Amino acid sequence: MIDSHCHLADDAFVKDLRDVIERAQTAGLTRALCILAAENPIEAERARELARLWPALRFGIGLHPHHSGQFGGRESEVGSLVRAAIGAIPEVRSLGEIGLDYHYDFAPRNVQQEVFRVQIRLARELDLPVIIHTREAEDDTLDILQEETGGSLRGVMHCFTGTRRLAEEALGLGMHISFAGIVTFPKGANVREVAAMVPADRILWETDSPYLAPTPHRGKRNEPAWVVRVAEELAELRGVQLEDLRRQTSANFDALFRP
Ligand SMILES: [Zn+2]
């Protein structure tokens, strides 16, 4: 079992990181992809410790739209910042998370867009898959993806909460779609509907921990061990055996991230 998106370098795990990793392994997780914030040297430092504690761990690193505001007027510098961050960690296998967030609007939208574009270009240059975060920004996300990729992109729409149209367009670009604990929420009907229709060879699951704990843990700090709840829910709503979907999502993870 793999958790394809978690934030183990987050402050939330500092106190009991060893226990969290142990519980993940006891739950059957062999691997995970840990997302790092490129602008935060503390997370890069923790990545070293994480790689030592869990050698099968792989990383994604990028500048999240929430933190792109500080680069307003100097968006082009993001490329060299992220390039250096990637170069400093040998286990990096993806660029992200990157994207647009118009729900919180923590950074001006034009800055978010330019920072997103710069990082897509870098990912293509380095031949790395991208991890995309998009919230209430579907049209601009799709426009930028079309303009910057020429119609195909190796990557994943992570923690999918969008419309069916967004899913179909992303699949059309060749991307994967990943689902988190929202599929277990009572209000997750729209997300469940999309999760049921994604082709088997494009689906992934994740926790996005420490955020979005699945039921029955909702409201608590999430952790990679609980990806099992997401997996169970996805297997049930797709009408397949958990073991078959586990094998499929692991193969999908390998095809996308080449760990
Ligand atoms: Zn995340």
Side-chain angles (χ1 to χ4, degrees), residues 116-186:
F116 185 29
R117 287 180 188 275
V118 165
Q119 293 184 97
I120 294 171
R121 287 174 208 148
L122 180 63
R124 286 165 62 79
E125 183 198 321
L126 300 176
D127 193 25
L128 284 173
V130 292
I131 299 165
I132 292 182
H133 168 111
T134 179
R135 194 157 177 207
E136 293 173 26
E138 291 205 355
D139 289 345
D140 285 353
T141 300
L142 287 171
D143 285 351
I144 288 173
L145 289 176
Q146 289 294 349
E147 287 165 23
E148 294 295 336
T149 67
S152 84
L153 182 65
R154 195 153 65 93
V156 59
M157 304 297 289
H158 112 87
C159 188
F160 191 83
T161 56
T163 62
R164 201 181 169 108
R165 172 178 161 251
L166 179 66
E168 282 165 355
E169 301 259 348
L171 290 166
L173 289 166
M175 297 183 69
H176 289 65
I177 298 188
S178 178
F179 296 93
I182 293 167
V183 293
T184 69
F185 295 176

Side-chain angles (χ1 to χ4, degrees), residues 5-7 35 64 97 131 133 158-159 206 208-209 211:
H5 188 117
C6 56
H7 297 262
I35 308 304
H64 194 285
E97 53 189 274
I131 299 165
H133 168 111
H158 112 87
C159 188
E206 64 174 274
D208 203 13
S209 51
Y211 315 106

